[in-house]
Amino acid sequence: MKRAEGVLEFTDRLQVAAAPAAPVERELHLLIFALGLEQYAVPIAMVREVVRVAPIPRVPDAPLHIRGVMNLRGRVLPVVELRTRLGLEAAALTPASRVVVAEVRGRIVGYLVDRVVQITRLGEGSVLAAPEEFRTGSADAITGVARRGDQLLRLLELERVLAAGD
């Protein structure tokens, strides 16, 4: 009996001596890309792949902000002109230009970006709600902002990018 009490007392002392566990902050896994000098991010879980820009023929009477379509391994992929959707000038294609292929609402869509910066993790607590001027007009797809070094990172919700004009 005395031996059992010793074990229980020992475990009680260990629990008291142990530092309380700090709450674990959730991390966001993001793909960061640039449009001009500004950086944007989307959840990596939505991204299927990033591809080099192939020819993007325009489509007559295509919806606003559709740059055109491209052939992705036999699949016709609509390509959204992300710059114009966010109120910027249309992109001039460069060797760094990429198409971010993502699945949104069960649809596979390409988003034309100036360049992909990196894939990173960001603590959820470091993301602030987008300022009011970011949530109006053509920038309503920006849902949050975060500091990353000396850059202001704008978080995009791809579903809102597609819903423009709906």
Side-chain angles (χ1 to χ4, degrees), residues 141-165:
I142 298 172
T143 59
V145 294
R147 272 261 169 242
R148 189 174 161 273
D150 60 349
Q151 281 280 341
L152 182 64
L153 189 60
R154 294 153 178 83
L155 278 67
L156 287 181
E157 185 175 316
L158 292 177
E159 190 166 327
R160 288 186 188 178
V161 170
L162 286 185

Side-chain angles (χ1 to χ4, degrees), residues 62-66 80-87 104-105 111 136-142 157-166:
L64 188 62
H65 307 300
I66 297 294
V80 175
E81 177 72 64
L82 201 48
R83 290 177 61 96
T84 61
R85 170 58 182 96
L86 296 175
V104 179
R105 290 189 190 176
Y111 297 88
T136 59
S138 62
D140 63 342
I142 298 172
E157 185 175 316
L158 292 177
E159 190 166 327
R160 288 186 188 178
V161 170
L162 286 185
D166 288 353

Side-chain angles (χ1 to χ4, degrees), residues 4-5 14 21 51 91 95-96 98 115 120 122 135 148 151-152 158 165-166:
E5 289 175 351
L14 285 177
V51 296
R98 296 291 183 266
R115 72 181 193 289
T120 192
L122 188 64
R135 290 182 277 145
R148 189 174 161 273
Q151 281 280 341
L152 182 64
L158 292 177
D166 288 353

Side-chain angles (χ1 to χ4, degrees), residues 10 22 33 57 62 79 135 148:
F10 178 75
F33 57 88
V79 178
R135 290 182 277 145
R148 189 174 161 273

Side-chain angles (χ1 to χ4, degrees), residues 30-42 44 47 50-51 95-100 111-121 148-154:
L30 302 169
L31 172 76
I32 300 175
F33 57 88
L35 298 175
L37 297 174
E38 308 300 332
Q39 291 188 356
Y40 296 82
V42 294
I44 194 70
V47 176
V50 176
V51 296
S97 297
R98 296 291 183 266
V99 174
V100 175
Y111 297 88
L112 182 61
V113 301
D114 293 352
R115 72 181 193 289
V116 170
V117 176
Q118 73 179 89
I119 295 172
T120 192
R121 294 178 184 184
R148 189 174 161 273
D150 60 349
Q151 281 280 341
L152 182 64
L153 189 60
R154 294 153 178 83

